[in-house]
Amino acid sequence: MTTMISWTAANSRKIARDERKRRLGPLGVLTHVALLIWTLLVMVPILWTFLASVKSEDEIFGDAWSLPATLRWDNFARAWEQAHIGQYMLNSVIVVSFSTFGTMLIGSMAAYVLARYPFRGNRAIYLLFVSGLAFPVYLALTPLFFVVQNMGTIPVVGPYIGLNTHAGVVLVYIAYSMPFTIFFLSAFFRTLPTAVGEAAMVDGASHTRVFFQIMLPMARPGIISITIFNVLGQWNQYQLPLILLQERDKWVLTMGIADISTAAGYDQDWSALFAALTLAILPMLIVYTVFQRQIQSGLTSGALK
């Protein structure tokens, strides 16, 4: 009887596998193979970085995939204290928090107006925003430096938004995140039903109240998705803060890791470098893991409505 049950279960699994292969077809199989290869290309370096972060330097440059003889947690202590990764991470959290909030607030309002209110020049303004997606950041680094430098000469607020200020970096982050935010959210707002908003306005609700209390909650999946994308992009930004922040105590995390990498060529503290990389990767990995379902829901709901 047990043999019969085992044979039946094995036969059922084989039938299920054959059915999946038949449904997928050759193109589906190739797609799954490509996704598997892409997963390996992404995961292998991350896993190796995590492993190297608890090794000694001799073990790092020895057998790449060997397990460490002892877990060297002092690598993280050196990265946190001696390389000031803790201060740089705090700076990154402050900058990314304010810039993401500003991007989502301004971007969602602009996208809503462009998506739901027809007026002369609507299409031109939308295309002007979206054209920013095709503008490489490298072409604007030099003029951007002088623009932010001139912002520092503005009376009263200048010292707070010029060079070597986190507020100046926040404003630049918001500006560079706006094109993709408006492009994504405007398409999402167009899919929302208009009947609910119109009913609220008939009841006396203002345009502002309709947006913040009705339309914005309805667009929650898209808001969460684009928020995570902005957090990831701004957290990993390096070129913009590099030209805007010269004072070491104002540096963000990517600049601190780059400094460790440069110093590692002379001090040979590669263990601390990989520990710092791990500290930089883990927060974003946790954020994406926690909000993975919301991101997928936002992307698919905007496409299916």
Side-chain angles (χ1 to χ4, degrees), residues 29-253:
V29 173
L30 289 176
T31 302
H32 280 69
V33 171
L35 289 174
L36 178 61
I37 295 174
W38 177 257
T39 302
L40 292 175
L41 291 175
V42 172
M43 291 303 300
V44 168
I46 293 178
L47 293 175
W48 189 86
T49 300
F50 290 168
L51 186 62
S53 66
V54 291
K55 285 184 173 183
S56 65
E57 293 177 4
D58 293 336
E59 291 172 331
I60 291 175
F61 292 101
D63 188 356
W65 290 103
S66 63
L67 295 176
T70 304
L71 296 180
R72 300 182 177 273
W73 300 110
D74 58 304
N75 297 339
F76 290 91
R78 291 201 311 277
W80 188 268
E81 297 174 1
Q82 298 179 14
H84 308 291
I85 290 298
Q87 179 63 46
Y88 301 148
M89 182 175 288
L90 177 62
N91 292 341
S92 288
V93 170
I94 293 172
V95 170
V96 172
S97 298
F98 281 100
S99 60
T100 302
F101 175 79
T103 300
M104 297 310 302
L105 178 64
I106 300 172
S108 61
M109 291 191 294
Y112 176 73
V113 171
L114 292 173
R116 307 301 290 264
Y117 291 86
F119 58 89
R120 182 176 297 179
N122 180 304
R123 191 64 179 173
I125 295 174
Y126 173 76
L127 293 176
L128 187 62
F129 272 117
V130 174
S131 64
L133 293 171
F135 191 82
V137 64
Y138 304 100
L139 296 180
L141 291 180
T142 301
L144 181 64
F145 173 84
F146 291 107
V147 168
V148 177
Q149 186 181 52
N150 292 333
M151 286 170 53
T153 62
I154 298 176
V156 183
V157 298
Y160 303 101
I161 61 174
L163 293 176
N164 295 313
T165 63
H166 289 155
V169 177
V170 167
L171 294 176
V172 172
Y173 277 10
I174 292 174
Y176 271 90
S177 301
M178 202 61 64
F180 180 69
T181 302
I182 291 178
F183 171 74
F184 184 93
L185 289 181
S186 60
F188 197 91
F189 278 123
R190 290 191 188 101
T191 66
L192 299 180
T194 59
V196 179
E198 292 173 352
M201 296 189 69
V202 169
D203 291 339
S206 64
H207 292 280
T208 304
R209 186 174 180 181
V210 169
F211 172 70
F212 283 105
Q213 295 188 0
I214 298 176
M215 291 301 177
L216 206 58
M218 291 174 64
R220 182 181 176 183
I223 296 292
I224 293 176
S225 298
I226 195 62
T227 298
I228 299 303
F229 281 123
N230 282 328
V231 169
L232 293 175
Q234 294 172 8
W235 182 268
N236 295 322
Q237 183 59 246
Y238 175 69
Q239 291 91 354
L240 294 177
L242 181 64
I243 67 167
L244 300 178
L245 299 173
Q246 281 83 40
E247 297 178 3
R248 182 177 289 268
D249 62 329
K250 300 292 181 64
W251 282 5
V252 295
L253 187 57

